[in-house]
């Protein structure tokens, strides 16, 4: 699998171990005036990997695909509200290009998790390095487990979605191929997002919404704040919940979701 022409200037770095590929690139972007972008940094192991809300990101040592993609987007920070949703549709597209017969097993959980058979296959963390009124330099970090999800589940505290491993759907595929597909899908998505924002990705996100029509419990800082039927996302990437007394919109902030089994 070759990288697309829009990635001609991509710098690729692979390291055996680091604290966090996101933190590495954020520090570099902040320290340099005009860094050459895009950069992808891949690590076999992270000693301080982190996820959304500052949670630690634990991956099976040496058995994970962990990378960060640093790029510039021609949008102000205020216009990046739905970026994480667009990224998750790109991850889905990259994976589906490799598994055309197993497509239905993948789905998206708001705001930006990729699920496999209801378990968490990939986590996405987007962090801002620098910005102006017209552009933002961001680092998009993505973590997959390749194998060993049972051992990993034992390490993780009880959570809504147990981990899933990529080997369950792509046992024969080289990780370089997975990475190339993901990078091509990300590059194509970023070009469209720079031009049109979230609009071209909304349909794809809503079509793959894991909890569409399901009763969900919404937690804020661990406390239940809302229950209702998840209906989809709006033009700003906010989740819409039908509470029975009207539609509530949720921005990603400090909110997490649990699915109610009916
Ligand atoms: O689900 C989440 O909360 C997001 C997890 C993101 C993990 C990836 S692994 C590569 C990159 N480096 C990090 O420290 N985090 C991201």
């Amino acid at each position: 699998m070759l990288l697309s022409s829009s990635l001609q200037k991509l710098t690729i770095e692979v390291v055996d171990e680091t604290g966090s590929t996101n933190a590495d690139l954020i520090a570099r972007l902040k320290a340099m005036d005009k860094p050459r972008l895009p950069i992808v940094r891949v690590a076999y192991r992270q000693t301080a990997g982190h996820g959304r809300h500052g949670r630690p990101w634990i991956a099976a040592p040496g058995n994970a695909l962990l990378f960060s993609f640093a790029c510039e987007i021609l949008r102000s920070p205020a216009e990046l509200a739905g970026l994480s949703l667009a990224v998750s549709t790109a991850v889905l597209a990259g994976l589906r290009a490799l598994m055309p017969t197993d497509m239905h097993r993948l789905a998206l959980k708001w705001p930006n998790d990729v699920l496999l058979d209801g378990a968490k296959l990939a986590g996405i963390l987007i962090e801002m390095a620098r910005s102006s009124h017209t552009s933002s330099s961001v680092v998009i970090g993505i973590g997959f487990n390749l194998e060993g999800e049972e051992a990993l589940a034992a390490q993780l505290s009880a959570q809504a979605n147990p981990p899933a491993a990529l080997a369950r759907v792509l046992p024969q595929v080289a990780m370089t191929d997975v990475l190339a597909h993901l990078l091509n899908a990300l590059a194509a998505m970023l070009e469209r997002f720079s031009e049109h924002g979230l609009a071209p990705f909304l349909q794809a996100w809503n079509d793959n919404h894991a909890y569409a029509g399901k009763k969900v419990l919404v937690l804020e800082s661990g406390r239940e704040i809302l229950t209702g039927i998840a209906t989809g996302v709006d033009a700003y990437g906010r989740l819409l919940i039908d509470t029975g007394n009207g539609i509530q919109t949720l921005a990603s902030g400090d909110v997490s979701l649990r699915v109610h089994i009916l």
Side-chain angles (χ1 to χ4, degrees), residues 190-242:
L190 287 165
E191 264 179 32
R192 282 184 95 190
F193 192 94
S194 279
E195 213 173 319
H196 305 291
L198 179 62
F201 306 98
L202 273 178
Q203 182 77 47
W205 200 94
N206 279 319
D207 285 350
N208 290 288
H209 182 192
Y211 300 166
K214 294 198 174 142
K215 190 169 185 192
V216 294
L217 170 62
V218 180
L219 303 172
E220 187 171 12
S221 306
R223 281 191 21 249
E224 177 181 336
I225 56 164
L226 193 67
T227 57
I229 307 292
T231 59
V233 292
D234 69 8
Y236 303 97
R238 296 175 305 191
L239 185 68
L240 303 173
I241 306 271
D242 186 347

Side-chain angles (χ1 to χ4, degrees), residues 83-113:
L83 178 62
S84 62
L85 280 78
V87 171
S88 59
T89 63
V91 171
L92 211 60
L95 294 176
R96 283 188 174 154
L98 287 157
M99 46 178 282
T101 57
D102 251 341
M103 309 210 304
H104 58 281
R105 298 178 64 184
L106 297 173
L108 300 176
K109 178 186 167 193
W110 184 85
N112 52 1
D113 288 346

Side-chain angles (χ1 to χ4, degrees), residues 18-24 41-43 46 48-59 64-69 112-114 120 122-127 139-144:
T18 187
S20 151
T21 53
N22 259 43
D24 292 347
R41 187 167 171 84
V42 186
Q46 294 185 131
H50 58 278
R52 293 176 63 240
H53 311 312
R55 293 186 195 115
W57 176 259
I58 300 166
L65 175 60
L66 310 167
F67 69 96
S68 298
F69 185 80
N112 52 1
D113 288 346
V114 179
K120 182 162 172 170
I124 297 165
L125 173 69
I126 302 177
E127 295 181 287
V139 174
I140 301 170
I142 303 182
F144 283 91

Side-chain angles (χ1 to χ4, degrees), residues 132-144:
S132 70
H133 291 306
T134 53
S135 88
S136 305
S137 297
V138 299
V139 174
I140 301 170
I142 303 182
F144 283 91

